[in-house]
Amino acid sequence: MASQPIDQAAATLPADKRASVYQSTKATHEKRTKLLFDQFNDPDLLRRRAGEIKQHVIENLDTLLPAVEAKLKANGAQVHWASTGDDACAAVLRIMQARGAKKMVKAKTMVSEEIELAHYLEKHGIEALETDLGEFIVQIDQDHPSHIVRPIIHKNRREIATSFEREGLGAYNDDPETITRRARQFLRHKYLQADVGLTGANFVSVESGRLVLVTNEGNSRFSLAAPKVHIALVGIEKLVPRDRDLGVLLNLLARSATAQQLTVYTEFISGPKHATQPDGPEEMHVIFVDNGRTDVLASECREILRCIRCGACLNVCPIYRQASGHAYRSVYPGPVGAVLSPLLAGKKFPELADLPKASSLCGACNEVCPVNIPIPDLLLRLREKGKREGAPLAAVGTPPMGAWALMASQPTAWKAALFGGKALNYLPTKLIPVPALRAWEEKRALPAWRGGEFRKWMKQRRKS
């Protein structure tokens, strides 16, 4: 993924793509808000309850993870642990090689994007085909997802039709139904040919050891129907303590992600095929992936591990709407990505230290988050971390504040600045004497300077 500061990426984003992202995210956000407030008396109470459930999980992972391992094994699943992304990829490869498997069908899973599993398997001679329509289009275009829930939010149907024509999936036709039908016809054969089906898991119940998958296309179900082996890649934070907690989280996930009461398919997977069942995988492997999450857990931003990947914070974020997802240079874009991506980067944190600054701190992301993550607070903590560790990207575009501190602590200097500040109303941007302030102002439209008006108003008020 290209390494480009987010403001530069936003400045070069074509106008039609920006408009597409804006309209799509705005419409989803408005539908989500109406749905929640029409159907629940106090949606905020539900959000706080969901946040408490997920916070309980991340505070008790040390006991919940062994408990869910025992339950999964009792259900007949095999459990693996992966400390890094490379470990997770290697574990998938070992399972496939042990069975002589060469073909895999994948349902949508963000953790597989995070560890770049498909590229890894391709290097080892294994075909790993995406079956989610959006992810499939991203794969044939050798592109990257730009939204957690809608990976091709940055593409229009004309671009998709061109891609299908290039890949031999039919003559050019940009009718959405035709595109969908052609993808379905192509993928049906792949499901039947696959040796392994791979999924993620939106939640894993510690109480029952059941994996919960939510989709709208049914591709995860197809991915598990024919292959003999099912592999589930799961981040270690995806647990819920009890089955009844799913009632809270599933209600919020669908409404927050796609403004639906419930996704079209909600699957509960208890293990491999039972002897009395005619169909289904004969083996089930669950790979719990850490890949930096333990470090996040130990950090001052551990609340970000509550995230259930709904994308609601992206849909409402004014920065994401202007920049789209690729500007974040990570698989996780938007406000959640601005927090999670630098943290998961570990020692490479300085390379993404500019992302926490990609926010107006308006707080909208916090208001819509279904698990009540205080994202603006976490962004401020990461900005301070970048400053404390001297990350160069954390300082780019930030005016030096030393002069401001001096001025704000000296009344005489402050009054002089208020008087002199009026000159900014008449001074061309190019003539501002401070380079950093000049660069900052060039990208913003500031209101007219009104410094000193309050003091004048107060004096007049006291006289009267």
Side-chain angles (χ1 to χ4, degrees):
M1 197 171 289
S3 176
Q4 185 181 26
I6 193 166
D7 55 344
Q8 293 181 22
T12 57
L13 187 69
D16 60 334
K17 289 188 183 295
R18 179 178 294 112
S20 175
V21 171
Y22 179 83
Q23 292 298 335
S24 179
T25 54
K26 180 173 181 288
T28 304
H29 169 65
E30 290 175 350
K31 286 175 62 179
R32 166 209 167 269
T33 303
K34 185 176 187 310
L35 196 64
L36 272 174
F37 282 87
D38 282 353
Q39 297 181 343
F40 294 102
N41 292 329
D42 190 352
D44 283 339
L45 178 63
L46 198 64
R47 290 189 326 118
R48 292 196 295 274
R49 178 59 181 149
E52 290 169 359
I53 292 171
K54 289 300 292 180
Q55 188 66 24
H56 173 80
V57 168
I58 64 176
E59 298 286 352
N60 294 277
L61 276 178
D62 57 333
T63 57
L64 293 176
L65 284 171
V68 78
E69 179 183 23
K71 186 60 71 173
L72 284 165
K73 287 182 175 177
N75 291 346
Q78 300 179 46
V79 179
H80 311 259
W81 299 94
S83 297
T84 66
D86 289 342
D87 292 343
C89 289
V92 173
L93 182 63
R94 280 197 302 274
I95 294 169
M96 295 196 69
Q97 288 178 334
R99 287 141 193 85
K102 291 292 185 182
K103 295 181 182 293
M104 168 191 286
V105 282
K106 285 177 76 263
K108 187 174 185 300
T109 148
M110 292 304 295
V111 72
S112 73
E113 291 284 347
E114 177 186 320
I115 64 175
E116 298 184 342
L117 176 66
H119 297 300
Y120 177 90
L121 294 178
E122 184 180 350
K123 290 178 182 176
H124 289 80
I126 290 176
E127 178 187 270
L129 187 69
E130 301 285 354
T131 58
D132 174 270
L133 179 57
E135 293 283 350
F136 174 68
I137 293 166
V138 165
Q139 186 177 37
I140 63 176
D141 282 350
Q142 298 182 5
D143 197 358
H144 296 278
S146 63
H147 190 285
I148 291 175
V149 177
R150 300 172 178 174
I152 54 170
I153 195 172
H154 60 292
K155 291 182 183 292
N156 58 46
R157 61 184 185 180
R158 295 180 296 279
E159 293 173 299
I160 297 168
T162 302
S163 300
F164 271 47
E165 183 181 33
R166 184 196 64 224
E167 296 296 317
L169 297 175
Y172 180 92
N173 189 322
D174 59 14
D175 172 54
E177 281 193 28
T178 302
I179 291 172
T180 305
R181 186 172 60 253
R182 288 174 175 176
R184 184 183 299 134
Q185 289 171 345
F186 174 78
L187 290 171
R188 287 291 170 97
H189 297 290
K190 296 294 183 179
Y191 290 126
L192 296 174
Q193 296 168 356
D195 306 300
V196 172
L198 184 134
T199 71
N202 294 90
F203 306 104
V204 183
S205 168
V206 176
E207 179 184 26
S208 62
R210 292 195 295 182
L211 274 60
V212 182
L213 301 177
V214 297
T215 66
N216 273 321
E217 299 176 13
N219 56 305
S220 64
R221 199 169 184 179
F222 275 118
S223 296
L224 301 181
K228 301 297 182 185
V229 180
H230 171 207
I231 301 175
L233 276 177
V234 185
I236 59 173
E237 80 282 17
K238 291 290 187 180
L239 308 184
V240 294
R242 304 160 299 183
D243 284 2
R244 66 179 182 180
D245 296 324
L246 295 168
V248 177
L249 292 164
L250 287 173
N251 267 302
L252 286 170
L253 176 58
R255 287 173 171 82
S256 301
T258 52
Q260 294 170 282
Q261 294 188 47
L262 197 63
T263 48
V264 177
Y265 297 90
T266 302
E267 299 167 79
F268 296 81
I269 303 171
S270 297
K273 183 182 74 172
H274 192 270
T276 59
Q277 295 173 319
D279 300 307
E282 297 170 356
E283 293 181 27
M284 177 178 169
H285 299 262
V286 179
I287 302 174
F288 283 108
V289 182
D290 185 323
N291 200 35
R293 286 163 175 75
T294 302
D295 293 334
V296 178
L297 185 64
S299 76
E300 57 194 351
C301 299
R302 55 170 38 189
E303 295 97 327
I304 199 64
L305 292 178
R306 294 181 199 165
C307 179
I308 56 174
R309 309 291 191 266
C310 68
C313 61
L314 281 66
N315 295 337
V316 76
C317 177
I319 307 300
Y320 176 85
R321 287 176 172 179
Q322 292 298 314
S324 190
H326 290 169
Y328 292 81
R329 316 193 304 278
S330 167
V331 67
Y332 301 112
V336 63
V339 177
L340 189 59
S341 299
L343 290 169
L344 290 179
K347 293 181 179 178
K348 294 183 178 179
F349 169 81
E351 297 179 13
L352 298 176
D354 60 317
L355 294 187
K357 294 165 56 184
S359 170
S360 63
L361 299 180
C362 63
C365 50
N366 183 201
E367 290 183 3
V368 301
C369 178
V371 284
N372 199 27
I373 300 174
I375 294 177
D377 292 344
L378 304 187
L379 290 169
L380 288 175
R381 292 173 201 171
L382 284 181
R383 291 183 187 187
E384 195 277 334
K385 172 182 167 68
K387 173 73 174 177
R388 186 174 66 244
E389 296 183 1
L393 283 178
V396 172
T398 302
M401 302 301 288
W404 167 266
L406 178 64
M407 183 177 68
S409 59
Q410 301 294 328
T412 303
W414 179 259
K415 291 177 183 176
L418 290 178
F419 180 77
K422 292 182 178 177
L424 290 176
N425 290 340
Y426 309 101
L427 189 68
T429 303
K430 294 181 180 178
L431 298 181
I432 294 177
V434 183
L437 181 59
R438 188 166 61 238
W440 188 86
E441 208 279 339
E442 283 176 350
K443 297 177 181 177
R444 295 162 176 84
L446 295 179
W449 179 271
R450 299 182 61 190
E453 296 297 320
F454 176 76
R455 292 171 183 273
K456 186 187 299 182
W457 172 82
M458 181 59 77
K459 285 180 181 178
Q460 291 176 349
R461 186 172 186 276
R462 284 175 175 171
K463 287 179 182 177
S464 61

